[in-house]
Amino acid sequence: MAELDQHEGEQDLEKKIEETRQRFKNEFLQDSTEKYDSRDVERLQKDDALVEGYLTWRLHVVDEALKMIDESFQWRKEFGVNDLSENSIPKWMFETGAVYLHGYDKEGNKLFWFKVKLHIKDAKTILDKKKYVAFWLERYAKKEPGMPLTVVFDMSESGLSNIDMDFVNYVINCFKVYYPKFLSKMIIVDMPWIMNAAWRIVKSWLGPEAISKLKFASKAEVQTFIDPEYLPPYLGGTDPFKYSYPPLPDDDFQTPICDNGPIVSEDEIESKDSEMEGKDTLESSFNSEIAVKPKKVNFLEESVRGDDNDKGDTSVRTKGPRKPVTTFKGLLLDVSPAEELSFGSGEMEKKSLIILSNVTKNQVAFKVRTTAPEKYRVKPSSSWCEPGATVDIVVSLHGGSQVSPQDRFLIMAAEMDSVVSQELTQFWKEVPKTKIMEHRLRCHVLESVKPTLSPLRDSPVDTGSSRQQEVNTLVSSLLQMMTCNSRLEQKLNTCLWVQKVLIGLVLVLVVLNLLCLYLLGTS
């Protein structure tokens, strides 16, 4: 029944996507050819995820989604968003470090930092500042399509002169209208009390769909949302990062990153070995008698089959990694899963599967890269896929490594003429960047199922792990209580201080009153 409801829901969504496209074409494109950038209009007609984003943000009300698309596309045309580059932004803006992307929150969302103390209200530069924000958002949207952002307004050492309500309203509109479903949360860190009135106005701008995403945090509370490794020392963190330009500090796939597989001193040797391994496997698969149609090449099963042959028993199979259920539709390859690689605590859950499907009529070369090459092993990390064929890539944790939500994988793909005539290493050196399809995956840690605690009489044997869980729960509760007590103590001290000040003022007034009476009496 649930599957039937899900299927009906998917069909309803497809209908609304098509209705949105058709109505936009009929109602907004008539006599308005110069109103929008043709590239945005073309993308709307082809990209289902883009239309779905607007519909979801507007609660699947087509009329509201159309208004949002119209406003968003006009803004993109006015600001020339599709053509924004480093050269179109004044260099001094990059050098100030007032806005940049760096690090991740506890949910694995990229952090978009606004250093408020570095922003000075200036009508002459406001347009460039708005384009600067659009540059970062558009850059991230292309690198991580569909991935939300967490905005951090770092208000440390800021004052009223740093608050520009027009600029703040623009930033909010970027997430409210121009980039739907982009905002994970907005964290206001260390806000001076004098700015409370200003932020009440900001909350009214956010609207009901985004008001729950606004989080206020002191320096002590910000670690509720962001781990210390991505917080600067003045916010209680351990992140040694210091902004500098150039280069732009937002691309995790520049450093550190390398092709997967055993780390050796000669990258060329490693790449060549993986190429030959992939070639042998593919040739043996496609030369088999059952290869009448494009065959699914499962490298995990091939390796298991090889081990079993040595023992003379080909019937033994081990359970494979968890299969993905979502798919990203790419120009060259369909990639499953669409967004996240899931890992768990069990032995087999330490492996995850990436499925690549060639949707072109040519051979497609691919390679997989990661931000944590010391943790993961990928087989194959570099190979190619025949037209219409599917390749299974097994990603496994190495040794005792632990999965982190901040770990990322990059899948690169490009069409190639012939496998025989070119080696993959040379091919990747020569292929133009414009011909490369890129898709990024983040890691997801599956929560282990916690058994329900039963009374001692029903469970006489108490294991060490359950006792440890109880201790951890108690410690967590005590820490929460200590934090609450600390906050209450701070508030109480503040109240006592205010009370003392008021008593002092009353005493001063009493003394002045008595002095006046005395002077009147003597006169």
Side-chain angles (χ1 to χ4, degrees):
M1 187 70 179
E3 291 181 359
L4 182 62
D5 292 340
Q6 183 181 356
H7 180 65
E8 289 177 353
E10 290 175 355
Q11 284 185 327
D12 185 52
L13 178 60
E14 289 176 2
K15 289 179 181 177
K16 289 200 171 184
I17 289 174
E18 190 55 40
E19 180 188 351
T20 303
R21 284 175 173 152
Q22 195 60 42
R23 286 187 57 185
F24 183 79
K25 183 178 180 181
N26 296 337
E27 299 172 21
F28 291 87
L29 288 182
Q30 300 296 330
D31 303 323
S32 302
T33 53
E34 301 299 323
K35 192 177 179 181
Y36 314 114
D37 189 319
S38 60
R39 289 168 288 185
D40 293 327
V41 175
E42 184 179 357
R43 185 176 163 223
L44 187 76
Q45 297 300 323
K46 295 181 178 180
D47 191 346
D48 287 353
L50 177 65
V51 186
E52 184 182 347
Y54 285 111
L55 283 168
T56 305
W57 197 242
R58 296 286 89 186
L59 303 176
H60 294 89
V61 179
V62 176
D63 287 335
E64 294 297 320
L66 286 169
K67 292 177 184 177
M68 192 174 178
I69 293 170
D70 174 54
E71 186 176 346
S72 176
F73 280 17
Q74 286 189 62
W75 168 77
R76 292 179 66 86
K77 175 73 179 289
E78 178 187 353
F79 276 71
V81 175
N82 288 316
D83 298 313
L84 284 178
S85 65
E86 288 182 63
N87 294 330
S88 59
I89 307 293
K91 187 179 178 182
W92 65 267
M93 287 193 174
F94 290 103
E95 292 173 340
T96 61
V99 178
Y100 58 87
L101 290 158
H102 172 69
Y104 301 89
D105 67 8
K106 287 190 173 182
E107 297 174 356
N109 301 310
K110 192 77 171 180
L111 298 177
F112 193 21
W113 290 86
F114 286 81
K115 292 293 186 72
V116 179
K117 72 174 184 178
L118 300 177
H119 178 85
I120 304 298
K121 186 174 181 179
D122 183 3
K124 295 179 181 178
T125 61
I126 186 65
L127 182 60
D128 283 331
K129 288 175 181 175
K130 290 179 177 180
K131 286 185 177 182
Y132 185 47
V133 173
F135 165 82
W136 281 108
L137 289 174
E138 189 67 10
R139 181 179 174 85
Y140 180 75
K142 290 176 180 177
K143 285 179 174 291
E144 299 279 2
M147 298 293 187
L149 279 170
T150 291
V151 175
V152 182
F153 275 100
D154 180 4
M155 304 191 74
S156 305
E157 302 178 20
S158 63
L160 287 174
S161 62
N162 304 119
I163 293 295
D164 183 346
M165 299 307 287
D166 177 44
F167 182 71
V168 172
N169 189 24
Y170 168 78
V171 173
I172 288 172
N173 262 335
C174 283
F175 293 99
K176 186 178 176 182
V177 181
Y178 310 143
Y179 291 90
K181 291 181 68 179
F182 240 55
L183 184 64
S184 167
K185 66 182 75 70
M186 185 179 289
I187 307 172
I188 317 299
V189 183
D190 200 23
M191 186 183 74
W193 66 269
I194 201 169
M195 296 184 186
N196 279 333
W199 281 101
R200 286 195 190 99
I201 298 171
V202 170
K203 288 176 74 173
S204 68
W205 289 341
L206 281 170
E209 71 277 353
I211 194 69
S212 61
K213 299 178 183 291
L214 191 63
K215 312 292 181 184
F216 291 88
S218 65
K219 287 183 178 180
E221 296 168 334
V222 70
Q223 291 189 27
T224 307
F225 308 103
I226 306 169
D227 285 323
E229 64 178 310
Y230 289 120
L231 285 173
Y234 67 85
L235 290 180
T238 58
D239 190 357
F241 171 80
K242 290 184 179 179
Y243 178 92
S244 63
Y245 174 80
L248 295 174
D250 72 319
D251 194 349
D252 294 330
F253 294 95
Q254 289 178 352
T255 304
I257 189 165
C258 73
D259 290 333
N260 269 270
I263 299 175
V264 294
S265 58
E266 295 293 337
D267 292 337
E268 294 291 328
I269 296 174
E270 177 195 350
S271 178
K272 196 167 184 177
D273 289 342
S274 61
E275 289 170 30
M276 294 306 297
E277 177 187 348
K279 185 182 291 187
D280 293 340
T281 310
L282 280 170
E283 286 177 354
S284 63
S285 299
F286 282 98
N287 288 334
S288 63
E289 293 180 357
I290 62 173
V292 178
K293 58 182 180 179
K295 183 180 182 293
K296 183 174 182 177
V297 185
N298 189 320
F299 284 86
L300 176 68
E301 291 184 0
E302 294 288 24
S303 61
V304 172
R305 191 178 297 119
D307 293 340
D308 292 338
N309 285 338
D310 292 340
K311 299 177 182 179
D313 182 8
T314 59
S315 62
V316 180
R317 292 285 177 90
T318 60
K319 185 181 177 181
R322 184 185 303 272
K323 290 188 177 181
V325 294
T326 59
T327 302
F328 166 78
K329 302 290 185 180
L331 295 175
L332 305 179
L333 297 173
D334 285 352
V335 182
S336 298
E339 296 181 358
E340 293 180 337
L341 278 179
S342 297
F343 294 87
S345 55
E347 190 59 34
M348 289 310 300
E349 289 181 324
K350 291 185 178 180
K351 294 182 179 180
S352 195
L353 198 64
I354 301 174
I355 302 175
L356 305 180
S357 301
N358 187 348
V359 296
T360 72
K361 296 181 180 179
N362 300 316
Q363 292 170 326
V364 173
F366 67 84
K367 62 179 177 179
V368 183
R369 310 178 78 189
T370 180
T371 55
E374 73 284 354
K375 288 185 182 182
Y376 301 96
R377 294 294 176 261
V378 179
K379 290 191 177 181
S381 63
S382 177
S383 189
W384 62 90
C385 188
E386 294 289 338
T390 301
V391 176
D392 285 3
I393 299 174
V394 180
V395 181
S396 55
L397 275 170
H398 180 62
S401 300
Q402 298 295 320
V403 179
S404 170
Q406 285 78 40
D407 296 341
R408 295 290 192 275
F409 283 83
L410 171 66
I411 298 164
M412 303 172 69
E415 287 184 294
M416 60 190 308
D417 296 329
S418 172
V419 177
V420 179
S421 62
Q422 345 176 226
E423 289 190 356
L424 285 178
T425 304
Q426 191 63 28
F427 170 77
W428 285 112
K429 287 181 179 179
E430 296 174 353
V431 63
K433 290 185 178 180
T434 54
K435 300 290 185 181
I436 299 176
M437 169 193 142
E438 294 186 353
H439 183 66
R440 289 165 172 76
L441 299 172
R442 57 184 173 182
C443 292
H444 173 65
V445 184
L446 295 170
E447 294 183 3
S448 57
V449 180
K450 295 182 180 179
T452 305
L453 293 176
S454 57
L456 287 175
R457 62 177 179 272
D458 296 330
S459 179
V461 180
D462 186 16
T463 63
S465 61
S466 63
R467 284 198 296 271
Q468 184 63 39
Q469 287 180 357
E470 291 177 12
V471 171
N472 290 341
T473 304
L474 286 171
V475 170
S476 177
S477 301
L478 285 172
L479 287 173
Q480 290 179 0
M481 290 174 64
M482 289 172 65
T483 304
C484 291
N485 286 338
S486 176
R487 291 176 191 166
L488 287 171
E489 187 179 352
Q490 289 177 1
K491 291 180 179 178
L492 183 61
N493 289 336
T494 303
C495 291
L496 290 173
W497 180 82
V498 171
Q499 188 179 23
K500 289 177 183 178
V501 171
L502 290 173
I503 292 172
L505 289 172
V506 170
L507 289 174
V508 170
L509 290 172
V510 170
V511 171
L512 289 173
N513 249 340
L514 291 173
L515 183 60
C516 289
L517 289 171
Y518 173 76
L519 291 174
L520 288 170
T522 55
S523 61

